Amino acid sequence: MTIKEIAKLAQVSSAAVSRYMNGGYVSEEKKERIRAVIEETGYRPSVQARTLRTKRACLVGVIVPKINSESISRITEGIGQVLSERAYQMLLTITDNDPSKELEYMDLFESYPVDGIILVGTVLSGAHKEKLKKCRVPIVVIGQQTNEVSCIYHDDYGAAKELAEQIGKEMSGRIAYIGVTRADKAAGAAREDGFRDGLRAVGRELEEGCLRRASFTMESGYEQACDLLRLESDIDIISCATDTIAAGVIEAIAQLSPQRSIQVTGFGDNQFLKAVTGGIRTVHFGYQTSGVKGARLLLDMVESGKTLTTEIKLGYELL
């Protein structure tokens, strides 16, 4: 099938189909008709032909910390959706939460080469910032705020603050917090600081003996909760930096304090945890939206040849 045939079925011009394929402007009405025809026919544009025409590889390198994470899978799904619509392919690499591997993969993608890079960021060290500034291809960071390149991130501080204010007002018992490394400015520092400030706003404080830090795993959440409950047996609320950590905390409570009603909160709106527990108080972020917006931002830079730095902060919903 050709572009002319797609245009005929969608009742638009060939130029409109071409603009759609290349990320140019097409009215919403025409865009929907073209998309519907492409889905119905299973049309896939020739990457080789497009590469010769545009002098681009039609490849985007995507760097993620892990793949067995619902939040990361949502982000990746959003990225993939946009890349597919605009006839690009994804090269996906996984760092296993090792920030040094992020630097290695950025070097690898630069030399591959790809048309652009999306980094789902964790720890942005000084070396990261230097690399971002010197990167030879357009790059977008998702999940962390940075001044070096365009970025899409969430209001981690605001969400944690509002969550803590609610908890502090509604419950009079002792409150604990299990966070992650503060080197992660979003999930670590911003969420912990927001939580502390939210408690202070309602006249409460997070006691230092009630603070723990885990890695981004259920096992680590379980270990830290066990330590916490053995030393601070009268805890009434355990708030966690991620839903994955919260799952481990729930397991620890079931083993060590099954007779007590300890409330657990998290971040991420994990659907599996919701299905198993019936739902805990958590924060919903538009992870798929961040992937969509990040991919669109990157491809707009790739195709326009302009690298205007853009910063987008997304909101949240308390559940």
Side-chain angles (χ1 to χ4, degrees):
M1 179 163 285
T2 66
I3 283 180
K4 287 184 179 180
E5 291 171 318
I6 293 291
K8 184 177 180 180
L9 290 172
Q11 297 182 326
V12 298
S13 67
S14 296
V17 177
S18 181
R19 287 197 301 274
Y20 174 86
M21 295 295 183
N22 291 287
Y25 173 76
V26 181
S27 70
E28 287 301 318
E29 180 186 354
K30 291 181 180 179
K31 189 182 293 184
E32 286 305 315
R33 294 211 300 266
I34 296 168
R35 182 183 294 121
V37 170
I38 288 173
E39 289 179 357
E40 289 170 8
T41 60
Y43 171 77
R44 291 291 180 270
S46 168
V47 173
Q48 291 83 2
R50 188 177 178 194
T51 300
L52 290 172
R53 186 177 69 255
T54 64
K55 308 302 181 185
R56 290 192 291 268
C58 298
L59 293 172
V60 169
V62 178
I63 305 170
V64 301
K66 55 185 176 179
I67 202 63
N68 60 335
S69 159
E70 189 172 308
S71 59
I72 300 300
S73 67
R74 289 185 208 165
I75 293 171
T76 308
E77 182 180 354
I79 295 170
Q81 174 187 320
V82 174
L83 297 187
S84 178
E85 287 175 357
R86 292 170 66 166
Y88 283 76
Q89 294 182 337
M90 180 193 304
L91 294 179
L92 182 67
T93 58
I94 305 165
T95 67
D96 295 321
N97 280 303
D98 183 347
S100 66
K101 287 186 179 179
E102 295 175 346
L103 297 171
E104 292 176 16
Y105 287 137
M106 280 191 277
D107 283 334
L108 174 65
F109 282 144
E110 272 192 299
S111 60
Y112 189 76
V114 297
D115 298 309
I117 299 170
I118 296 176
L119 169 65
V120 181
T122 55
V123 175
L124 296 185
S125 65
H128 281 76
K129 293 178 180 180
E130 281 301 308
K131 182 62 184 173
L132 291 174
K133 286 190 291 187
K134 295 177 180 178
C135 192
R136 298 190 299 273
V137 298
I139 185 166
V140 170
V141 173
I142 295 179
Q144 299 284 345
Q145 190 275 332
T146 179
N147 297 321
E148 282 70 33
V149 295
S150 292
C151 61
I152 315 282
Y153 63 102
H154 303 280
D155 187 4
D156 292 277
Y157 174 87
K161 185 173 186 295
E162 186 175 346
L163 176 64
E165 287 176 359
Q166 284 189 4
I167 293 171
K169 287 177 183 177
E170 294 173 9
M171 303 191 70
S172 58
R174 292 185 75 200
I175 299 171
Y177 184 79
I178 300 181
V180 295
T181 173
R182 290 184 61 85
D184 185 321
K185 298 301 181 185
R191 291 181 191 178
E192 182 181 323
D193 291 346
F195 194 81
R196 286 180 181 274
D197 289 347
L199 290 181
R200 291 190 186 108
V202 294
R204 307 284 295 273
E205 286 286 342
L206 177 64
E207 303 170 38
E208 288 308 310
C210 295
L211 172 67
R212 298 291 188 281
R213 293 196 180 94
S215 60
F216 290 86
T217 66
M218 187 172 71
E219 292 77 15
S220 183
Y222 171 82
E223 292 168 0
Q224 293 302 318
C226 287
D227 179 68
L228 179 68
L229 292 170
R230 290 187 182 108
L231 295 176
E232 307 289 344
S233 59
D234 59 344
I235 293 294
D236 297 288
I237 308 109
I238 302 177
S239 194
C240 306
T242 75
D243 277 3
T244 301
I245 293 171
V249 171
I250 291 170
E251 183 183 359
I253 292 171
Q255 290 188 12
L256 297 182
S257 301
Q259 73 286 356
R260 297 192 61 220
S261 178
I262 302 175
Q263 184 176 146
V264 179
T265 74
F267 274 77
D269 188 20
N270 183 283
Q271 296 305 296
F272 180 75
L273 182 61
K274 183 182 291 185
V276 171
T277 65
I280 63 171
R281 185 177 298 194
T282 188
V283 177
H284 175 81
F285 288 129
Y287 289 119
Q288 186 171 347
T289 299
S290 70
V292 167
K293 288 184 177 292
R296 286 177 179 165
L297 183 57
L298 180 74
L299 295 188
D300 287 347
M301 289 191 289
V302 168
E303 293 172 356
S304 70
K306 299 175 182 177
T307 55
L308 180 65
T309 302
T310 302
E311 181 177 309
I312 300 174
K313 180 167 74 171
L314 301 179
Y316 61 88
E317 180 183 5
L318 296 188
L319 301 177

